[in-house]
Amino acid sequence: MLHSVSPYLRCSVHPPLPLQSLSAFSYPMARVLSRVVPIPLKSMPTRASAVRFLSIKLSHFTLSSHYSLTSSFLGLRVASDLLDCSEEWRVLRGFDNRVRCGGGQRGYRKVRRRAVKNGSKERELELSVKILIEEGLPNDPEILNVVEMLRLNAPMAMKLAFDGLKDSQYKTRETAINDVGGFENVELSLLLCNDEFICKLNKEWRDEDHATDVLSMSQHIPELKLPILMLGDIVISVETAARQAEERGHTLIDEIRILLVHGLLHLLGFDHEISEEAEAEMEKEEELLLKSLGWKGKGLIKSACDSEDGGSRHAENPDDRKKEGSLRFYRPKFKYIFCDMDGTLLNSDSKITSSTANALREALSRGVRVVIATGKTRPAAISLLGMVDLAGKDGVVSDLSPGVFLQGLLVYGRQGSEIFRRNLDPDFCREAFVYSLEHKIPLVAFCDDRCLTLFDHPLVDSLHSIYHEPKAEVMPSVEHIVAVADVQKMIFLDTAERVAATLRPYWSEATGDHANVVQAVPDMLEIVPSATSKGHGVRMLLDHLGVTPKEVMAIGDGENDVEMLELASLGVALSNGSEKAKAVADVIGTSNDEDGVADAVYRYAF
């Protein structure tokens, strides 16, 4: 294999380097190690006004005899000091495929490269397709399946597109490539990447800071009489393709095939951007080629026009709900999701549904950190999330993960270390337990990872059996409770009616400056130290982690979530939540019995 350099780099590296100086940075094409850096030329190509497509053609440059040619700029690694670039190299996984096609042959087979013998009755044209996956894409089975399909599909599309050039009557197509019969080999590179990667290319070439679906970059040099037709490079964003596939109602491979055809036609001289006639001709050829190949879907130009005429559902509703299992193709809007548990993550049966668990799992797989902010103890959170395999090192919560517990009275930071705690005044705790004994109303004290009470009661048992809090320990006296541990908060348990009519009015006045009353659920009244809240705990944790509120989405339902919802960049209150929570939220989601957390993740987080 000859050492090689792309025309993009030949135009920009001055003075020309001797061939041997590049050898240290060149790799066999079978193993592709590359960082794609299109270097701006002195004579820049005309920047098209369209947002969706881009075709870049290089026609004016000087070729140095020191260089030999390559099929693609994607196949070369160059030292960063030559390119004046300090970024890390990107590793591209490569798949090489060569197919030989006889003159009128429609069958395709993989063969080894060999020279055409003199006197052969039928000359064979070798189609060499290199398919690469940018490292930013996930190691996803669907993407690998797409690659395997493209290994067959790309040569088929090339062959039929070449056949269509022979008798072409198109007026607007540039005819630099007209008859491929004069070449021994046609080479094409196809790169699958994410939005971030294609966005960088788009910014380099068009000074537009957004992703697009496909870029075409021609490398054909008509002035050089070469046996190899270096067709060029097609770059496809799988993330954008996945979104468009969802909008247009077909599969990912269908959309990538459509983008492949569009990019290929650009390389063969079609350009829909130069005039309405050119657009009509390219649209016609797209439809014809897709139909001949038996591939589903309209051409890209037709689909784009339909979206503009009829309106794209995705464009009209940018927060529209993504499909379950599709988040790997979307970019996260937030680095962190802070989530309440009772009435939010948990349904009315105090369980996390499989749909909600899958949504959290998908968010985690895309690098989003899910942080629990709850009135529960940490053991209760670990127990509940453990039931859906989301507890532990790679889950949502563990003894080593950050979190806000007991209404912000216990906050854990990096590696699960305690960064904040606040306790109730012991004298106030005595007063509350005396009231509990006199009125026979159950009261439970939360002390770190323990729950303490003065007598057994079914409602006390429900804290453990339903809410998965640590099983309450019955203590012999009030003094034992005060002496055995620091109390962070206390909960009175009664019917929702009596909590609203009796307990809340009484304790709202009795707490004075000693404590505050809050409610997460209607049949419980929580008493916490004054000047503390879940929102305060969330803010402390963000400061500890070095995270800004702009990087956070919060989901809650209760009045104890109000500050957290106000603090976050996007606050989502579930429809079953309190009026106070819904009043301050940015959006109101579905209820906790309708997988409200999952809906919020799929609708707003990506």
Side-chain angles (χ1 to χ4, degrees):
M1 178 63 67
L2 295 174
H3 296 300
S4 53
V5 66
S6 161
Y8 293 96
L9 302 181
R10 285 200 302 274
C11 300
S12 306
V13 180
H14 299 287
L17 298 174
L19 178 61
Q20 57 269 29
S21 68
L22 292 175
S23 61
F25 311 120
S26 299
Y27 285 78
M29 299 300 283
R31 182 187 179 200
V32 181
L33 297 172
S34 176
R35 178 183 181 280
V36 182
V37 186
I39 304 300
L41 308 180
K42 291 182 178 179
S43 175
M44 289 293 291
T46 302
R47 290 190 174 116
S49 59
V51 171
R52 188 174 289 273
F53 317 118
L54 174 64
S55 177
I56 298 172
K57 187 155 190 173
L58 302 178
S59 56
H60 304 292
F61 57 87
T62 303
L63 178 68
S64 168
S65 60
H66 289 290
Y67 300 109
S68 54
L69 303 174
T70 181
S71 62
S72 168
F73 73 92
L74 299 176
L76 179 70
R77 174 178 172 178
V78 180
S80 60
D81 58 334
L82 294 180
L83 301 181
D84 191 24
C85 180
S86 60
E87 296 183 41
E88 294 292 329
W89 298 115
R90 290 183 174 272
V91 179
L92 305 176
R93 291 162 277 168
F95 301 83
D96 208 0
N97 196 35
R98 289 186 173 86
V99 177
R100 287 192 177 184
C101 304
Q105 212 172 338
R106 296 275 177 179
Y108 305 96
R109 55 193 176 88
K110 294 171 68 175
V111 298
R112 296 181 180 276
R113 183 189 294 270
R114 66 178 187 274
V116 179
K117 297 180 180 179
N118 293 330
S120 174
K121 294 183 179 180
E122 184 176 356
R123 184 175 182 177
E124 290 184 326
L125 174 66
E126 182 174 275
L127 305 182
S128 179
V129 181
K130 187 175 297 296
I131 303 173
L132 306 104
I133 304 176
E134 202 272 327
E135 67 170 357
L137 284 179
N139 290 317
D140 187 84
E142 186 175 6
I143 294 176
L144 297 179
N145 288 337
V146 166
V147 169
E148 288 303 313
M149 293 297 296
L150 289 176
R151 293 178 68 177
L152 300 174
N153 293 166
M156 291 170 61
M158 292 168 68
K159 177 62 168 61
L160 288 181
F162 295 155
D163 288 346
L165 297 180
K166 296 175 182 177
D167 302 317
S168 172
Q169 299 299 316
Y170 291 120
K171 298 178 181 179
T172 62
R173 187 183 75 85
E174 184 180 303
T175 56
I177 300 175
N178 204 22
D179 182 8
V180 298
F183 298 96
E184 296 177 5
N185 190 341
V186 180
E187 297 189 350
L188 173 71
S189 288
L190 177 60
L191 170 65
L192 303 181
C193 65
N194 59 14
D195 279 353
E196 180 182 4
F197 190 87
I198 207 166
C199 183
K200 290 180 179 179
L201 291 182
N202 213 18
K203 187 170 179 63
E204 292 265 6
W205 288 102
R206 305 174 71 190
D207 198 26
E208 295 187 10
D209 192 11
H210 59 77
T212 188
D213 43 15
V214 58
L215 304 179
S216 297
M217 303 177 185
S218 174
Q219 290 196 46
H220 178 50
I221 311 166
E223 295 81 5
L224 296 179
K225 306 302 180 182
L226 300 173
I228 299 174
L229 170 57
M230 297 181 300
L231 203 54
D233 309 294
I234 299 174
V235 184
I236 294 175
S237 169
V238 176
E239 291 181 330
T240 298
R243 292 193 292 273
Q244 292 177 175
E246 185 176 341
E247 293 165 6
R248 295 164 185 171
H250 50 237
T251 65
L252 177 61
I253 183 61
D254 290 335
E255 183 66 20
I256 288 181
R257 284 168 171 164
I258 291 168
L259 298 178
L260 168 63
V261 166
H262 184 88
L264 182 59
L265 291 179
H266 265 305
L267 296 180
L268 293 178
F270 290 88
D271 189 352
H272 60 92
E273 297 172 348
I274 60 177
S275 68
E276 290 185 1
E277 184 181 10
E279 180 178 300
E281 288 190 344
M282 187 171 178
E283 179 182 336
K284 179 181 177 181
E285 187 65 15
E286 279 187 337
E287 298 282 350
L288 180 63
L289 194 51
L290 287 168
K291 184 177 180 180
S292 300
L293 289 163
W295 292 352
K296 296 179 181 178
K298 305 173 185 177
L300 188 58
I301 298 173
K302 177 65 174 173
S303 296
C305 291
D306 289 349
S307 295
E308 291 173 3
D309 294 338
S312 168
R313 177 174 59 84
H314 185 77
E316 289 178 358
N317 300 292
D319 61 350
D320 204 8
R321 194 181 199 278
K322 288 78 180 174
K323 290 182 179 179
E324 184 174 332
S326 70
L327 294 187
R328 64 191 186 280
F329 300 124
Y330 291 84
R331 183 179 301 180
K333 295 179 182 177
F334 308 98
K335 291 184 179 180
Y336 285 80
I337 297 175
F338 278 71
C339 189
D340 173 51
M341 293 197 70
D342 290 313
T344 303
L345 189 59
L346 305 176
N347 62 15
S348 296
D349 296 324
S350 291
K351 293 181 179 178
I352 301 172
T353 66
S354 59
S355 295
T356 297
N358 289 338
L360 296 181
R361 204 169 281 115
E362 279 196 76
L364 290 170
S365 72
R366 296 293 285 121
V368 178
R369 293 293 304 271
V370 180
V371 179
I372 295 300
T374 179
K376 290 183 171 297
T377 61
R378 184 163 63 175
I382 292 173
S383 173
L384 285 159
L385 284 153
M387 293 179 179
V388 289
D389 296 322
L390 283 173
K393 180 182 177 183
D394 298 320
V396 172
V397 66
S398 73
D399 289 330
L400 297 176
S401 64
V404 179
F405 301 95
L406 297 178
Q407 305 296 9
L409 303 175
L410 278 176
V411 182
Y412 300 98
R414 297 185 186 90
Q415 302 302 313
S417 60
E418 182 183 305
I419 62 172
F420 177 79
R421 81 160 47 224
R422 185 74 179 273
N423 302 323
L424 282 167
D425 186 309
D427 291 334
F428 184 74
C429 293
R430 289 188 182 92
E431 181 182 345
F433 272 105
V434 169
Y435 180 94
S436 169
L437 285 172
E438 290 177 351
H439 294 83
K440 302 300 180 185
I441 298 175
L443 177 65
V444 177
F446 285 73
C447 313
D448 293 352
D449 294 342
R450 300 172 66 187
C451 289
L452 308 178
T453 190
L454 289 176
F455 53 86
D456 285 321
H457 192 281
L459 291 178
V460 174
D461 294 336
S462 71
L463 280 177
H464 176 67
S465 60
I466 297 177
Y467 296 98
H468 296 271
E469 297 291 1
K471 188 171 179 60
E473 305 170 39
V474 178
M475 305 302 288
S477 69
V478 175
E479 291 305 320
H480 277 83
I481 291 179
V482 175
V484 75
D486 293 328
V487 178
Q488 283 83 52
K489 75 170 185 175
M490 298 180 291
I491 293 183
F492 281 105
L493 301 103
D494 208 336
T495 64
E497 295 76 16
R498 281 187 287 191
V499 168
T502 305
L503 287 174
R504 179 149 193 163
Y506 177 86
W507 285 103
S508 293
E509 183 177 347
T511 52
D513 297 331
H514 300 289
N516 294 328
V517 295
V518 295
Q519 276 188 271
V521 293
D523 55 356
M524 298 182 191
L525 184 71
E526 301 188 37
I527 299 178
V528 300
S530 59
T532 60
S533 65
K534 184 189 292 187
H536 178 261
V538 169
R539 187 182 294 276
M540 290 195 63
L541 181 55
L542 293 182
D543 290 342
H544 170 77
L545 296 173
V547 177
T548 66
K550 290 183 179 180
E551 300 172 285
V552 175
M553 180 174 92
I555 312 173
D557 74 300
E559 64 179 63
N560 59 328
D561 295 315
V562 166
E563 290 181 63
M564 179 176 75
L565 296 176
E566 289 181 313
L567 175 65
S569 176
L570 181 72
V572 182
L574 301 195
S575 61
N576 58 284
S578 70
E579 292 305 315
K580 290 183 179 180
K582 289 188 281 189
V584 302
D586 297 295
V587 292
I588 298 175
T590 57
S591 75
N592 63 327
D593 287 328
E594 299 172 293
D595 297 318
V597 169
D599 184 78
V601 169
Y602 289 125
R603 194 177 298 276
Y604 304 116
F606 290 81

